[in-house]
């Protein structure tokens, strides 16, 4: 555990010791960051040793979550009964031990955990011990002294021993570290758990370079990694030192092993903070190994050998399963400022010129382009993507015949996907209709649509809120977007997969990552048909469409790779696999022909390796782009953040000759793209295309489409709630109400004489603040008659008895309607936690913009209505008064933006609810609805999504603010009154400071 220390020692050994202790200081801050975010409901112990906490990046947080060691204090706190006969021995530098004991002695919580037993001086003046905790300040290289102290203070010979070395012995002289390992092997009931760096792809691999250089710069060189670079080397190290068995696995290998980390645990991490640094996480985890060594058997050791750390299938090196084809290569180094972008998209302008659009640069996401060419004399008539396209990464640009292409999707932050689409045609960029669902890390490919020409098939990806999708969509230049039905095999939702098609509307889907963060070693064959009546895709499993063995699939099923047709065949380039991909297998040729089976399906046989041995500058094929031109493959862009060790940019253009021409093309970075004489202006046009399916509403450019999805189970629904994002559930069974609830049917069931309270509006937009409506009590039959006549009226049912006290529940308030409506099994959580369930019947009136504190699901039964939602972060821009929950802004009004300039800072989400749709509205999301027809009938169920915190007392409508907010407003009033009587400037000075302090706390809320 790291503590601050005095660095004034000047000897070389002392300087190195101080530097090693400094790595502990940095490590403990990272562990504290993980503790605060990922373990909010568990005791926090790292906080006592970190004076000023810092929030680390999501990549570092997740990396430390994976490698974090179990603190002795955590064991004593969480498992006191299991630890009652255990003694924890903490061995570290004397300076750190002294400071650690000082902190413990000054912290009552730690003293209580240690049973307030005084930590006394042991037989040796470097040892301090309590009842279950011993702190030992000792040089691990001095084995004689270490052994003497331990034997004096403990009974090692009759004890069961677990040694944990978390990135520690690697800093020791290798001979001294090996001696320590050999010394530990002398005890019978002992197990050694080692966490240490490895170099699985050698010391020249880019991540390895960055890691080794980082520690060398800190004057803490990694000593062991040079002698023991691989897993087999580490295992041999322990066996040579006298250990009976030793098994090492990389952290990335263990991450994917559900017997080590369950799928539920992996999924739970997604709700802590947005995360999309998967390639970088895999690189980090692949360069750290966990080794467990044991000595001869006892029952305890034998049974534990079924632990996941021991379960690893020994396969022959996967490289030997492939044949290799040599290639001619050329590498063009770039300057330090050129080519620094990753996760962009390729825009082909000709066979000799290609643009790299968007992506992530050294500081931010980009909207710009960089040009690469193989012939500077070529004149290209083209228009580059306009700068008005929002900066993005992880998007697609898919080419079509006639020099057309479609730019779609991508993301800003990992929890905000984009749905806008941009068509490039006739040297002009046009904004076309949004996709039904915002997506990033999706895959897209051009497909033949028979007589109607080409289309673009899109699958999977992540949507807003990090939800992993499993939908297929087809886009056509004249028909827009259509959802594709699926037949045949069912596959898991995934993102980061790749896809390719042949010329007969068939193709392959490879790899991707499941929602729990495991790379899928899969290949699926697909065929597309029924373009006129509604597209259908049939999927066939890899067992039926390929002749690959499991080892082949393990390197073909990748995440974040590139797949492209070339003159040599279908090429797979880069990405990550379940295990770290050997560099020799970076580039594979999967098949030579687009027609490779009797039924015209693409078929992958044994892949061929294309030699990609690079001596000039090693490639890190993460976030890269590829372009197949004539007889060559061009690779550019890409790189990765190498954990906390720095960023590696490829900054090189690699060209591989893939056919037998004598001379290889030489591609270069175009530093003077403005000088291309025929590049035309970036004029931008907006174009609305016909939607083939009315269920997919056309959304205005500034708005984000609400995700439409199918929820398969109650667990699926509850998992989605963690993202606090609205979504529309399709194809749920709500009962016969969908077809039966006409106005005539409702009048017959409820009764024409039943009195109801309705809103009678003077204007089409009801305004709760201005009260431009009145409440009227009338017979239900009269209400129905007036609605049919176009009256601006709105019914929100109330409880039949004591409506001022009891929440509405249409099932008990209107018993004859109860059999017609049911909540489907997917919404069991809603039913268990229901607060109220009002029936809503609306004429041509718009509901005011407001928020509800409780979550709710809105079930559309009859008619359709346009819905607009705004995230809670927009509340300050929507004219909501303090203590209120409603706004007077009519956001459907075409003039609203000019009347309320603050609207330009909002993030509206929109859709049209159709009969059978169920909309989930998260707590505090502002929303409003406007019928698109003269009638709308719906039921919504408010439900509690919090265990506590709701306002005390009566809450008939489920929209009272939380108790903490109501109390806080009273406290604010008290604070303001406390400054009454002071000079105006002084009061403003202190109130402004308090307001800023409260604002800062709002920004860090939930991270303490």
């Amino acid at each position: 555990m790291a503590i601050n220390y005095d660095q004034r020692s000047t000897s070389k050994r002392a300087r190195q010791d101080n530097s090693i202790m400094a790595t502990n200081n940095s490590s403990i801050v990272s562990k504290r960051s993980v503790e605060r975010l990922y373990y909010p409901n568990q005791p926090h112990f790292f906080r006592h040793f970190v004076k000023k906490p810092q929030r680390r990046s999501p990549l570092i947080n997740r990396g430390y979550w994976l490698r974090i060691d179990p603190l002795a204090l955590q064991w004593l706190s969480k498992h006191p009964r299991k630890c009652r006969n255990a003694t924890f021995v903490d061995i570290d530098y004397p300076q750190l031990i002294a400071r650690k004991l000082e902190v413990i002695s000054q912290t009552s919580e730690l003293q209580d955990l240690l049973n307030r037993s005084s930590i006394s001086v042991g037989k040796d003046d470097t040892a301090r011990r309590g009842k279950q905790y011993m702190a030992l300040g000792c040089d691990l290289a001095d084995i004689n002294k270490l052994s003497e102290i331990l034997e004096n203070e403990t009974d090692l010979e009759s004890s069961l021993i677990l040694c944990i070395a978390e990135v520690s012995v690697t800093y020791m002289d290798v001979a001294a570290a090996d001696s320590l390992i050999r010394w530990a092997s002398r005890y019978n009931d002992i197990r050694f758990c080692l966490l240490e760096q490895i170099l699985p792809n050698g010391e020249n691999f880019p991540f390895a370079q960055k890691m080794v250089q980082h520690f060398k710069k800190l004057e803490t060189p990694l000593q062991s990694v040079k002698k023991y670079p691989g897993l087999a080397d580490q295992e041999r190290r322990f066996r040579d030192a006298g250990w009976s068995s030793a098994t090492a696995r990389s952290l990335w290998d263990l991450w994917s092993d559900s017997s080590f980390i369950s799928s539920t645990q992996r999924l739970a991490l997604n709700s802590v903070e947005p995360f999309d640094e998967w390639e970088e996480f895999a690189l980090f985890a692949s360069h750290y190994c966990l080794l467990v060594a044991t000595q001869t058997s006892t029952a305890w050791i034998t049974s534990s050998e079924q632990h996941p750390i021991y379960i690893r299938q020994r396969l022959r090196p996967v490289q030997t399963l492939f044949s290799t084809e040599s290639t001619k290569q050329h590498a063009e180094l770039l300057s330090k400022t050129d080519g620094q972008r990753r996760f962009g998209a390729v825009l082909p302008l000709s066979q000799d010129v290609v643009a790299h659009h968007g992506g992530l640069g050294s500081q931010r996401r980009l909207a710009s382009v960089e040009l690469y060419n193989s012939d500077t004399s070529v004149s290209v008539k083209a228009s580059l993507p306009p700068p008005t396209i929002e900066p993005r990464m992880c998007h697609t640009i898919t080419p079509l015949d006639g020099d057309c292409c479609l730019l779609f999707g991508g993301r800003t932050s990992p929890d905000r996907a984009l749905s806008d689409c941009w068509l490039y045609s006739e040297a002009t960029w046009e904004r076309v209709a949004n996709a039904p669902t915002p997506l990033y890390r999706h895959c897209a490919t051009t497909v033949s649509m028979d007589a109607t020409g080409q289309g673009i098939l899109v699958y999977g990806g992540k949507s807003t809120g990090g939800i992993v999708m499993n939908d297929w969509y087809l886009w056509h230049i004249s028909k827009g977007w259509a959802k594709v039905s699926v037949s045949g095999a069912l596959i898991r939702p995934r993102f980061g997969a790749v896809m390719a098609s042949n010329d007969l509307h068939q193709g392959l889907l490879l790899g991707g990552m499941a929602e729990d963060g495991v790379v899928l070693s899969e290949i699926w064959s697909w065929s597309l048909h029924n373009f006129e009546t509604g597209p259908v895709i049939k999927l066939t499993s890899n067992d039926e469409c390929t002749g690959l063995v499991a080892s082949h699939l393990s390197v073909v099923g990748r995440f974040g790779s590139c797949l492209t047709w070339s003159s040599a065949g279908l090429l797979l380039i880069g990405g990550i696999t379940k295990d770290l991909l050997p560099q020799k297998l970076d580039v594979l040729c999967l098949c030579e022909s687009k027609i490779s089976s009797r039924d015209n399906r693409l078929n992958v046989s044994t892949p061929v390796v294309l030699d990609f041995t690079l001596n000039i500058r090693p490639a890190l094929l993460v976030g890269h782009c590829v372009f197949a031109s004539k007889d060559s493959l061009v690779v550019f862009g890409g790189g990765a953040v190498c954990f906390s060790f720095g960023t590696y940019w490829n900054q090189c253009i690699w060209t591989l000759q893939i056919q037998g021409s004598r001379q290889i093309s030489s591609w270069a970075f175009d530093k003077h793209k403005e000088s291309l004489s025929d590049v035309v202006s970036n004029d931008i046009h907006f174009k609305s295309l016909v939607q083939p399916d009315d269920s997919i509403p056309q959304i205005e450019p500034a708005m984000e489409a609400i995700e439409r999805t199918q929820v398969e189970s109650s667990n699926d629904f509850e998992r989605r709630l963690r993202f606090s994002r609205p979504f529309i559930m399709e194809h749920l069974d709500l009962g016969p109400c969908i077809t039966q609830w006409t106005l005539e049917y409702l009048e017959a069931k409820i009764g024409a004489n039943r009195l109801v309270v309705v809103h009678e509006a003077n204007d089409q937009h009801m305004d709760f603040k201005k009260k431009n409506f009145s409440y009227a009590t009338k017979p239900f039959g009269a209400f129905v008659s007036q609605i049919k006549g176009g009256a601006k009226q709105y019914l929100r049912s109330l409880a039949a008895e004591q409506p001022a006290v009891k929440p509405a529940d249409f099932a008990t308030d209107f018993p004859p309607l109860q059999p017609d409506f049911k909540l489907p099994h997917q919404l069991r959580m809603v039913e268990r936690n229901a607060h109220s369930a009002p029936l809503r019947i609306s004429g041509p009136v718009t509901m005011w913009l407001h928020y509800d504190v409780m979550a709710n699901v809105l079930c559309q039964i009859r008619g359709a209505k346009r819905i607009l939602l705004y995230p809670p972060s927009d509340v300050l821009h929507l004219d909501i008064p303090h203590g209120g929950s409603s706004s007077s802004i009519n956001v459907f009004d075409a003039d609203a933006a000019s009347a309320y300039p603050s609207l330009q800072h909002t993030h509206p989400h929109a859709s049209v609810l159709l009969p059978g749709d169920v909309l989930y509205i998260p707590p505090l999301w502002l929303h409003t609805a406007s019928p698109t027809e003269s009638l709308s009938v719906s039921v919504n169920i408010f439900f509690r999504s919090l265990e506590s915190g709701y306002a005390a007392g009566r809450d008939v409508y489920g929209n009272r603010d939380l108790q903490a907010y109501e109390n806080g407003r009273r406290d604010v009033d008290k604070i303001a009154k406390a400054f009454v009587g002071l000079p105006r400037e002084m009061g403003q000075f202190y109130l402004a400071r308090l307001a800023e302090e409260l604002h800062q706390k709002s920004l860090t809320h939930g991270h303490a």
Side-chain angles (χ1 to χ4, degrees):
M1 191 171 292
I3 310 294
N4 292 327
Y5 55 90
D6 191 343
Q7 298 194 33
R8 290 174 292 183
S9 302
T10 57
S11 71
K12 182 177 180 180
R13 173 64 188 274
R15 286 200 311 272
Q16 186 173 12
D17 288 348
N18 282 344
S19 297
I20 293 171
M21 287 188 282
T23 66
N24 258 354
N25 279 344
S26 175
S27 175
I28 202 70
V29 172
S30 298
K31 291 177 181 179
R32 171 59 180 146
S33 178
V34 172
E35 181 181 62
R36 297 171 72 206
L37 285 172
Y38 287 77
Y39 301 99
N41 301 318
Q42 296 186 22
H44 289 185
F45 298 110
F46 290 109
R47 66 188 178 94
H48 300 296
F49 302 90
V50 179
K51 291 183 178 179
K52 188 175 182 180
Q54 302 175 34
R55 180 167 181 169
R56 298 299 202 199
S57 70
L59 172 61
I60 293 178
N61 282 337
R62 188 162 294 209
Y64 269 90
W65 180 91
L66 184 58
R67 61 162 274 188
I68 200 167
D69 60 320
L71 200 64
L73 296 168
Q74 292 171 329
W75 275 101
L76 290 168
S77 173
K78 293 171 63 176
H79 307 289
R81 295 188 64 184
K82 291 182 179 180
C83 296
R84 63 181 180 270
N85 295 320
T87 299
F88 293 89
V89 181
D90 198 352
I91 306 174
D92 214 326
Y93 284 97
Q95 302 99 306
L96 295 183
I97 289 296
R99 175 61 180 142
K100 188 180 298 184
L101 293 174
E102 181 182 354
V103 171
I104 292 174
S105 66
Q106 295 174 356
T107 309
S108 59
E109 181 182 349
L110 303 184
Q111 283 287 321
D112 290 340
L113 192 60
L114 297 173
N115 299 319
R116 288 201 172 272
S117 57
S118 60
I119 297 181
S120 60
V121 178
K123 296 179 181 178
D124 189 281
D125 60 6
T126 59
R128 306 290 186 271
R129 71 169 302 155
K131 184 178 180 181
Q132 289 185 281
Y133 176 75
M134 176 178 176
L136 174 57
C138 180
D139 185 352
L140 290 175
D142 191 345
I143 293 176
N144 291 332
K145 185 176 182 180
L146 174 65
S147 179
E148 179 185 355
I149 297 173
L150 289 175
E151 289 177 0
N152 287 337
E153 296 293 333
T154 62
D155 184 8
L156 292 180
E157 293 293 344
S158 59
S159 298
L160 188 154
I161 307 167
L162 172 63
C163 297
I164 300 176
E166 184 206 5
V167 192
S168 54
V169 299
T170 189
Y171 299 122
M172 297 173 61
D173 174 78
V174 179
D178 288 348
S179 296
L180 177 68
I181 293 170
R182 187 175 298 106
W183 165 79
S185 70
R186 61 189 264 193
Y187 299 100
N188 289 329
D189 272 1
I190 187 168
R191 181 167 296 188
F192 200 117
C193 184
L194 174 78
L195 178 68
E196 198 161 286
Q197 296 92 341
I198 53 174
L199 306 177
N201 267 341
E203 59 183 349
N204 291 325
F205 186 67
F207 186 96
Q209 286 183 21
K210 283 289 182 181
M211 181 175 70
V212 172
Q213 291 170 2
H214 169 79
F215 287 103
K216 185 176 181 180
K217 186 177 180 180
L218 294 178
E219 297 185 348
T220 58
L222 302 177
Q223 308 276 13
S224 301
V225 77
K226 293 183 179 180
K227 187 174 181 180
Y228 307 108
L231 298 174
D233 301 310
Q234 288 282 8
E235 291 173 350
R236 187 182 66 254
R237 175 191 196 181
F238 275 76
R239 288 195 296 268
D240 290 348
W243 292 83
S244 299
S245 67
T247 303
R249 294 175 68 181
S250 74
L251 293 188
W252 181 237
D253 180 22
L254 290 170
W255 164 265
S256 303
D257 188 337
S258 293
S259 61
F260 189 80
I261 301 173
S262 70
S263 177
T264 301
Q265 286 178 296
R266 292 192 295 265
L267 282 169
L269 300 180
N270 297 333
S271 63
V272 177
E273 58 182 338
F275 183 80
D276 192 37
E277 292 80 11
W278 287 105
E279 292 90 346
E280 285 108 336
F281 179 58
L283 287 169
F284 155 78
S286 298
H287 283 77
Y288 280 76
C289 77
L290 180 63
L291 177 144
V292 170
T294 66
Q295 274 302 24
T296 51
S297 61
T298 65
W300 177 70
I301 293 176
T302 302
S303 63
S304 294
E305 287 184 352
Q306 298 306 310
H307 192 276
I309 186 64
Y310 295 99
I311 304 170
R312 182 170 60 134
Q313 185 179 7
R314 295 286 187 179
L315 297 175
R316 52 194 285 215
V318 74
Q319 298 97 305
T320 64
L321 299 174
F322 299 86
S323 60
T324 300
E325 183 176 301
S326 61
T327 61
K328 292 181 181 179
Q329 302 173 24
H330 175 80
E332 181 78 18
L333 289 174
L334 305 180
S335 70
K336 290 184 177 180
T337 57
D338 293 334
Q340 287 192 358
R341 68 176 67 207
R342 48 204 173 96
F343 301 106
V346 175
L347 172 61
L349 300 176
S350 75
Q351 280 295 305
D352 300 291
V353 181
V354 65
H356 191 186
H357 173 262
L360 182 64
S362 59
Q363 300 291 333
R364 60 183 67 86
R365 289 176 291 275
L366 305 171
S368 61
V369 298
E370 291 176 330
L371 294 185
Y372 298 85
N373 64 62
S374 63
D375 188 348
T376 56
S377 65
V378 173
S379 178
V380 180
K381 185 175 182 180
S383 173
L384 302 179
T388 47
I389 296 180
E390 187 175 2
R392 67 193 62 211
M393 59 189 289
C394 303
H395 55 299
T396 54
I397 298 178
T398 311
L400 296 161
D401 285 342
D403 296 326
C404 295
C405 63
L406 182 74
L407 186 157
F408 162 56
R411 70 167 176 86
T412 54
S413 64
D415 60 351
R416 181 174 176 252
L418 301 171
S419 59
D420 54 334
C421 301
W422 301 79
L423 176 66
Y424 177 67
S425 178
E426 299 179 354
T428 302
W429 285 91
E430 297 174 312
R431 172 112 186 226
V432 295
N434 285 13
T437 302
L439 292 173
Y440 68 92
R441 286 198 186 264
H442 53 285
C443 52
T445 187
T446 307
V447 292
S448 170
M449 295 178 63
D450 296 331
T452 57
Q454 287 186 319
I456 294 175
L457 182 66
V458 173
Y459 169 71
K462 276 193 171 185
S463 190
T464 295
I467 297 173
V468 180
M469 306 301 295
N470 200 23
D471 296 324
W472 297 80
Y473 294 99
L474 184 64
W475 183 88
H476 187 270
I477 193 168
S478 64
K479 298 180 180 180
W481 291 97
K483 193 167 184 178
V484 180
S485 301
V486 180
S487 68
L490 297 177
I491 64 176
R492 297 176 63 182
R494 66 197 63 207
F495 61 104
V498 287
M499 183 165 55
S501 66
N502 60 16
D503 295 327
L504 297 171
H505 41 79
Q506 297 178 355
L508 294 173
L509 175 72
L510 278 68
M513 181 175 282
E515 59 185 347
D516 64 353
V518 174
V519 177
L520 299 169
S521 300
E522 299 176 358
I523 301 179
W524 293 88
S525 176
W526 54 263
S527 59
L528 196 62
H529 50 92
N530 290 2
F531 297 109
E532 295 299 326
T533 59
V536 176
I537 193 166
K538 181 178 180 180
L539 299 170
T540 308
S541 69
N542 50 48
D543 295 335
E544 299 177 48
C545 68
T546 73
L548 300 183
V549 299
S551 298
H552 289 147
L553 289 173
S554 69
V555 296
V556 172
R558 305 182 183 184
F559 172 81
S561 60
C562 294
L563 187 66
T564 185
W565 282 107
S566 70
S567 55
L570 185 60
L571 302 184
L572 180 66
I573 305 101
I576 62 172
T577 58
K578 270 191 174 182
D579 206 348
L580 184 65
L581 183 68
Q583 276 187 294
K584 292 182 180 179
L585 304 182
D586 268 337
V587 183
L588 297 180
C589 181
L590 302 183
C591 57
E592 296 181 356
S593 172
K594 291 188 177 182
I595 308 298
S596 54
S597 66
R598 290 182 179 179
D599 56 0
N600 295 325
R601 291 187 316 189
L602 281 172
N603 186 27
V604 178
S605 56
T606 302
V608 175
V609 177
L610 296 188
D611 183 20
F612 197 50
T613 305
L614 301 166
N615 298 321
I616 295 178
R617 181 173 176 82
L620 188 56
L621 295 185
V622 168
H624 56 293
C625 283
V626 301
F627 176 64
S629 171
K630 298 178 183 176
D631 59 355
S632 61
L633 176 72
V634 187
V635 182
F636 52 90
V641 174
C642 300
F643 202 60
S644 58
F645 313 135
T647 301
Y648 184 93
W649 294 100
N650 283 328
Q651 292 186 273
C652 190
I653 309 168
W654 294 281
T655 308
L656 278 71
Q657 178 190 350
I658 52 180
Q659 285 289 65
S661 64
R662 294 182 179 179
Q663 187 173 1
I664 187 170
S665 302
S666 176
W667 283 72
F669 182 83
D670 192 338
K671 294 178 177 292
H672 308 289
K673 57 179 178 285
E674 294 80 8
S675 65
L676 291 176
S677 57
D678 291 320
V679 172
V680 300
S681 62
N682 288 321
D683 292 334
I684 179 172
H685 303 275
F686 290 90
K687 180 180 179 182
S688 296
L689 297 183
V690 177
Q691 298 281 0
D693 185 349
D694 290 338
S695 70
I696 302 175
Q698 184 173 321
I699 307 301
E700 275 126 25
M703 304 203 181
E704 184 170 316
I706 300 172
E707 177 205 357
R708 286 181 168 270
T709 188
Q710 295 184 37
V711 175
E712 303 298 335
S713 65
S714 178
N715 288 338
D716 189 13
F717 175 75
E718 293 182 37
R719 178 185 62 80
R720 290 174 178 270
L721 299 193
R722 298 200 303 264
F723 300 107
S724 298
R725 309 286 300 189
F727 56 91
I728 297 171
M729 293 165 276
E730 300 177 321
H731 309 305
L732 294 180
D733 182 9
L734 299 177
C737 58
I738 301 297
T739 56
Q740 291 182 352
W741 281 13
T742 63
L743 285 178
E744 293 77 12
Y745 180 88
L746 292 173
E747 183 176 1
K749 288 290 184 177
I750 294 175
N753 296 323
R754 169 75 179 268
L755 295 179
V756 292
V757 178
V758 301
H759 300 67
E760 288 188 337
N762 302 318
D763 188 87
Q764 187 171 349
H765 170 65
M766 292 193 296
D767 188 331
F768 184 78
K769 289 169 64 178
K770 296 179 179 179
K771 290 293 192 298
N772 62 346
F773 59 87
S774 59
Y775 297 103
T777 302
K778 62 182 62 178
F780 183 74
F783 168 68
V784 168
S785 177
Q786 292 162 5
I787 284 289
K788 288 180 178 179
K792 300 181 182 68
Q793 296 188 17
Y794 177 83
L795 166 66
R796 192 267 191 203
S797 69
L798 303 175
E801 298 180 2
Q802 296 182 292
V805 177
K806 295 181 179 180
D809 179 5
F810 90 94
T812 56
D813 299 331
F814 306 105
L817 296 180
Q818 191 272 333
D820 299 340
F821 175 88
K822 67 176 182 179
L823 275 179
H825 66 87
Q826 293 93 329
L827 303 184
R828 286 177 187 145
M829 180 209 178
V830 176
E831 189 171 16
R832 287 197 309 267
N833 298 282
H835 166 272
S836 57
L839 170 68
R840 299 179 186 269
I841 305 176
S842 173
V845 289
T846 298
M847 185 68 175
W848 57 84
L849 181 67
H850 68 286
Y851 69 81
D852 298 304
V853 175
M854 290 191 185
N856 80 87
V857 289
L858 177 59
C859 307
Q860 188 66 19
I861 308 299
R862 200 83 178 171
K865 57 186 171 188
R866 186 168 174 78
I867 189 95
L868 279 176
L869 292 92
Y870 296 83
S873 56
D874 286 350
V875 66
L876 298 181
H877 306 301
L878 292 171
D879 193 32
I880 306 290
H882 300 306
S885 60
S886 301
S887 171
S888 290
I889 302 177
N890 180 7
V891 290
F892 292 110
D893 190 342
D895 298 325
S898 57
Y900 298 92
S902 63
L903 288 179
Q904 65 181 315
H905 304 297
T906 62
H907 307 85
H909 294 56
S911 191
V912 172
L913 288 186
L914 303 171
D917 285 347
V918 178
L919 169 67
Y920 167 65
I921 304 177
L924 306 183
W925 274 71
L926 295 100
H927 53 280
T928 180
S930 178
T932 60
E933 305 172 15
S934 58
L935 172 69
S936 171
V937 180
S938 59
V939 172
N940 73 304
I941 298 93
F942 293 91
F943 64 97
R944 299 174 180 85
S945 57
L946 301 176
E947 293 183 1
S948 61
Y950 292 109
R954 187 183 307 166
D955 186 8
V956 174
Y957 296 98
N959 63 350
R960 274 187 63 183
D961 283 303
L962 294 180
Q963 186 70 55
Y965 178 73
E966 293 186 351
N967 293 341
R969 292 200 68 232
R970 288 192 288 269
D971 292 340
V972 167
D973 190 52
K974 292 178 182 178
I975 292 170
K977 289 179 179 178
F979 290 93
V980 173
L982 291 175
R984 183 168 175 265
E985 294 80 3
M986 295 184 72
Q988 289 179 337
F989 174 83
Y990 284 112
L991 286 172
R993 291 196 65 194
L994 288 171
E996 174 60 22
E997 183 176 353
L998 191 60
H999 174 65
Q1000 291 300 320
K1001 289 184 181 297
S1002 75
L1003 298 179
T1004 59
H1005 175 72
H1007 304 317

